[in-house]
C-alpha cells in the first residue's frame, strides 16, 4: 500500500486544484488535502513557525508523503527542517528558498493587488489582512542556511517552463542531503494544473 499523501496547494490556489492530479492516482491511495490558507493564524497573528505546528497536528500518519506546491512547498520544507526524525518523505514543487529584494518589496507594498490576484486565481473570498500576513512572511523568506538540516528524502519538482525557479531548485538540490530533482516537460510553475499526469506519475514513484 502506498504511503498516505498530504497535499498543500499554492497561495493562489484552492485545494480543488489537486483534483486533476488525484484523477491519475489509484483510488486506494490515502489522500489528505491541507488548505494552506488557513494555517498559521492565532487570531490576527501569523507566523511560519505556527504554520508548521498547525501542519504537524494535521499529519496523523507515522510515515507519509508531504507534498507542497509553491507557497505550500515552503511550508512543507519548513516542516521537514523542524522534524528531523526522517520518517516522512517530502515533495517540494516550485520551491522558493529565498525571496529576492525586488520581489520582496513588491509583495510588501503591492499586497492589495496580490490579494485580488489570489482571490481571482483561487476562486475564493479572502480577508486582505490574512493574505498580507502571509505575503510579509514570504517577502522575508530565506531557508538556505537550514536546508542541510533536512534528514528526510526529498523530491524537488519543477516545470521546465518555470525558469524562474531553476536556481532555487538547484540551490535546494545542493543543500538537502537526500534530494533528487524531477523536471516536468511542458509544465509551468503551477505544475499540478499544467501537468497533472506527470505530477501524479512522479508522486506515485516517490511514494512507493
Amino acid at each position: 500500500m502506498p504511503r498516505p499523501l498530504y497535499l498543500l496547494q499554492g497561495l493562489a490556489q484552492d485545494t480543488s486544484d489537486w483534483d486533476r492530479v488525484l484523477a491519475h492516482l489509484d483510488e486506494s491511495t490515502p489522500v489528505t488535502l491541507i488548505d494552506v490558507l488557513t494555517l498559521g493564524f492565532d487570531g490576527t497573528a501569523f507566523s511560519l513557525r505556527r504554520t508548521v505546528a498547525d501542519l504537524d497536528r494535521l499529519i496523523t500518519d507515522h510515515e507519509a508523503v508531504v507534498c507542497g506546491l509553491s507557497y505550500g512547498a515552503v511550508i512543507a520544507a519548513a516542516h521537514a527542517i523542524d522534524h528531523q526524525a526522517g520518517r516522512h518523505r517530502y515533495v517540494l514543487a516550485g520551491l522558493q528558498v529565498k525571496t529576492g529584494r525586488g520581489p520582496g518589496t513588491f509583495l510588501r507594498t503591492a499586497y492589495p493587488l496580490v490579494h485580488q490576484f489570489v482571490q481571482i486565481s483561487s476562486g475564493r473570498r479572502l480577508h486582505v489582512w490574512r493574505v498580507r500576513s502571509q505575503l510579509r512572511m514570504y517577502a522575508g523568506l530565506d531557508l538556505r542556511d537550514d536546508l542541510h538540516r533536512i534528514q528526510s528524502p526529498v523530491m524537488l519538482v519543477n516545470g521546465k517552463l518555470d525558469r524562474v525557479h531553476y536556481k532555487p531548485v538547484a540551490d535546494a538540490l545542493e543543500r538537502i542531503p537526500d534530494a533528487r530533482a524531477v523536471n516536468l516537460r511542458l509544465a509551468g510553475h503551477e505544475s499540478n494544473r499544467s501537468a497533472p499526469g506527470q505530477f501524479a506519475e512522479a508522486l506515485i514513484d516517490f511514494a512507493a
Side-chain angles (χ1 to χ4, degrees):
M1 183 175 179
R3 289 178 177 234
L5 299 177
Y6 289 79
L7 304 179
L8 292 75
Q9 86 276 20
L11 184 64
Q13 292 190 344
D14 183 67
T15 55
S16 62
D17 281 294
W18 291 111
D19 287 353
R20 284 180 284 181
V21 174
L22 298 180
H24 295 273
L25 301 179
D26 190 285
E27 291 183 357
S28 65
T29 304
V31 176
T32 301
L33 301 178
I34 305 292
D35 187 359
V36 299
L37 300 179
T38 66
L39 303 180
F41 292 94
D42 181 9
T44 59
F46 171 84
S47 71
L48 180 58
R49 180 172 295 278
R50 189 177 292 111
T51 302
V52 170
D54 287 347
L55 173 60
D56 194 55
R57 282 191 289 271
L58 294 172
I59 299 175
T60 57
D61 294 281
H62 184 67
E63 294 183 343
V65 175
V66 183
C67 171
L69 181 135
S70 190
Y71 179 77
V74 169
I75 297 171
H79 186 273
I81 290 168
D82 284 355
H83 297 79
Q84 300 173 34
R87 55 191 174 93
H88 300 314
R89 299 180 186 181
Y90 293 85
V91 178
L92 309 177
L95 175 68
Q96 181 59 270
V97 297
K98 182 184 185 301
T99 303
R101 180 179 299 176
T105 299
F106 175 79
L107 292 175
R108 289 189 185 95
T109 58
Y111 67 87
L113 179 64
V114 179
H115 170 249
Q116 290 301 318
F117 168 75
V118 169
Q119 288 196 126
I120 293 170
S121 183
S122 67
R124 301 169 63 173
R125 291 184 61 84
L126 303 166
H127 292 292
V128 65
W129 63 266
R130 280 180 171 258
V131 175
R132 184 182 186 183
S133 297
Q134 291 164 322
L135 292 175
R136 281 178 170 174
M137 180 278 290
Y138 207 87
L141 181 71
D142 190 351
L143 300 177
R144 294 174 301 172
D145 290 343
D146 293 316
L147 291 175
H148 72 278
R149 294 168 50 199
I150 297 177
Q151 299 302 310
S152 300
V154 171
M155 179 170 67
L156 298 158
V157 176
N158 204 55
K160 284 194 173 181
L161 302 181
D162 185 17
R163 295 183 176 275
V164 170
H165 288 82
Y166 279 13
K167 186 179 186 304
V169 169
D171 286 346
L173 189 62
E174 180 180 344
R175 295 168 188 266
I176 299 173
D178 185 4
R180 68 173 102 163
V182 174
N183 290 315
L184 305 184
R185 61 189 181 281
L186 301 180
H189 180 58
E190 294 183 318
S191 50
N192 59 344
R193 287 177 169 176
S194 56
Q198 294 177 64
F199 201 113
E201 184 179 343
L203 268 179
I204 292 168
D205 177 65
F206 192 62

